[in-house]
Amino acid sequence: MRGKVRVVSIGECMVEFAPTSNGQFAMGFAGDTFNTAWYLRRLLPATATVSYLSAVGTDGMSDQMVGFMTAEGILTDTVQRVPGRSVGLYVIQLTNGERSFAYWRSTSAARLLAEDADRLWSALDGADLIYLSGITLAILSAEARVRLMASLARARAAGSKVAFDPNIRPGLWSDAPTMLQSISAMAAAADIVLPSHEDEARHFGDPDPVATAHRYAGSGSTLVVVKDGPMPVVTLHAGHAERHPVPVPSAPVVDTTAAGDSFNAGFLASFLTNANLSEAVAAGTSLAARVIAGPGALVRTAVGAVP
Ligand code: ADP
């Protein structure tokens, strides 16, 4: 790895209320791209920096969120403050052991994270790795999506690598054609695409993970890494497809929240270090196995401390 690796993850972190055993709720902070940033911070050496590019309000809850990020070792100078807005919220409900989620996020400050091209560029300039997801794109206006993609193209031209998890969530998009077109366009403009086959099968109709990999590679993605729950991870790089079996986890599966987010962090941290595909997939599946053995998105027992 080069001396001082700089990672920037882009998206929305939310307040989380998770049920506790005594019938109350515990407050935390989570969100797909934030979860990946949190794991990356713990996996990468102290010389690396991990920044979160987002927007929050100027209220007390926003202060608490930024304070949490900072305490977890994530740089927040790329978190914009938007007066009059606040952060999004979700509540996890448990009904007969099944988790469901209720969201209050439609007016969150994070929706305004890409309003200013100069601010975007100053956050992305010089990044070695930039990470975002389909949720990052979904919460933006059409104009802001174009602005963000232009900044990402500029960063790539200057040497940054862009990694993208499509994380397809139809409820966040205005309509299906916009969703599929935006996700395909972003994947085509990314160096590494990290889809989950289940989502891709449902929305793009891919019959199997190899088809998902070929669809994204065919549109221009350099490296595609397709996750499929406990089934093998499929990679496609320079026309060469490979299946990587997922080891059976040694601990029981407790909660699959953030399985994909943590896989991505394990994969990317390893791939940044030595660019060996099989080792990077193994790092991803090994971290994901530890994360799904514990409750919640940010499983402290799955990774070391902030270096
Ligand atoms: P997502 O959370 O994005 O839906 P997946 O469910 O495809 O992601 O899982 C991501 C990774 O998490 C998989 O590649 C695998 O390593 C691990 N994983 C998920 N579910 C299981 C499981 N039931 N058993 C073992 N590993 C799993």
Side-chain angles (χ1 to χ4, degrees):
M1 194 188 300
R2 278 182 282 167
K4 197 174 183 309
V5 169
R6 184 161 174 255
V7 178
V8 181
S9 180
I10 313 173
E12 176 172 21
C13 181
M14 285 170 289
V15 175
E16 176 196 80
F17 281 103
T20 59
S21 50
N22 61 5
Q24 307 214 314
F25 286 87
M27 195 183 92
F29 298 101
D32 68 334
T33 50
F34 177 75
N35 303 340
T36 301
W38 189 87
Y39 285 108
L40 277 170
R41 171 59 291 174
R42 282 157 189 265
L43 293 170
L44 291 169
T47 49
T49 62
V50 179
S51 302
Y52 198 53
L53 199 179
S54 190
V56 299
T58 51
D59 58 323
M61 194 54 89
S62 298
D63 291 348
Q64 271 197 57
M65 181 184 283
V66 172
F68 175 78
M69 291 175 180
T70 307
E72 299 296 325
I74 292 165
L75 301 185
T76 57
D77 50 328
T78 44
V79 177
Q80 191 188 342
R81 296 290 194 145
V82 182
R85 292 247 181 163
S86 188
V87 290
L89 162 76
Y90 69 97
V91 176
I92 303 171
Q93 294 161 302
L94 268 183
T95 316
N96 303 327
E98 281 293 312
R99 290 160 64 92
S100 64
F101 298 82
Y103 290 94
W104 290 264
R105 68 189 303 184
S106 56
T107 58
S108 66
R111 292 182 177 248
L112 303 177
L113 69 82
E115 292 299 296
D116 180 341
D118 290 341
R119 189 182 276 274
L120 280 177
W121 181 244
S122 71
L124 299 179
D125 186 16
D128 296 283
L129 175 71
I130 300 169
Y131 177 75
L132 76 162
S133 77
I135 295 177
T136 312
L137 299 180
I139 62 170
L140 303 179
S141 67
E143 298 74 32
R145 271 200 295 276
V146 170
R147 200 176 294 120
L148 177 60
M149 287 189 61
S151 302
L152 293 171
R154 185 175 170 193
R156 276 183 97 197
S160 302
K161 296 283 180 221
V162 173
F164 174 62
D165 183 336
N167 245 335
I168 308 176
R169 299 290 179 272
L172 290 173
W173 291 90
S174 57
D175 58 89
T178 305
M179 171 176 87
L180 300 180
Q181 189 277 331
S182 303
I183 285 175
S184 301
M186 183 61 240
D191 297 281
I192 307 174
V193 183
L194 299 142
S196 284
H197 175 63
E198 199 184 347
D199 287 354
E200 306 294 324
R202 187 173 308 136
H203 300 289
F204 283 99
D206 299 334
D208 53 51
V210 176
T212 298
H214 279 292
R215 179 171 49 76
Y216 283 126
S219 71
S221 318
T222 317
L223 166 62
V224 188
V225 181
V226 188
K227 297 155 280 175
D228 192 13
M231 304 304 289
V233 173
V234 169
T235 56
L236 182 58
H237 184 49
H240 178 61
E242 247 182 296
R243 286 160 66 86
H244 310 256
V246 172
V248 175
S250 53
V253 176
V254 166
D255 174 3
T256 58
T257 303
D261 304 336
S262 57
F263 172 94
N264 294 350
F267 177 88
L268 291 168
S270 171
F271 200 65
L272 267 180
T273 312
N274 65 4
N276 180 308
L277 252 187
S278 298
E279 279 178 26
V281 171
T285 56
S286 143
L287 177 60
R290 297 195 296 276
V291 169
I292 62 183
L298 309 179
V299 180
R300 289 174 194 276
T301 49
V303 264
V306 174

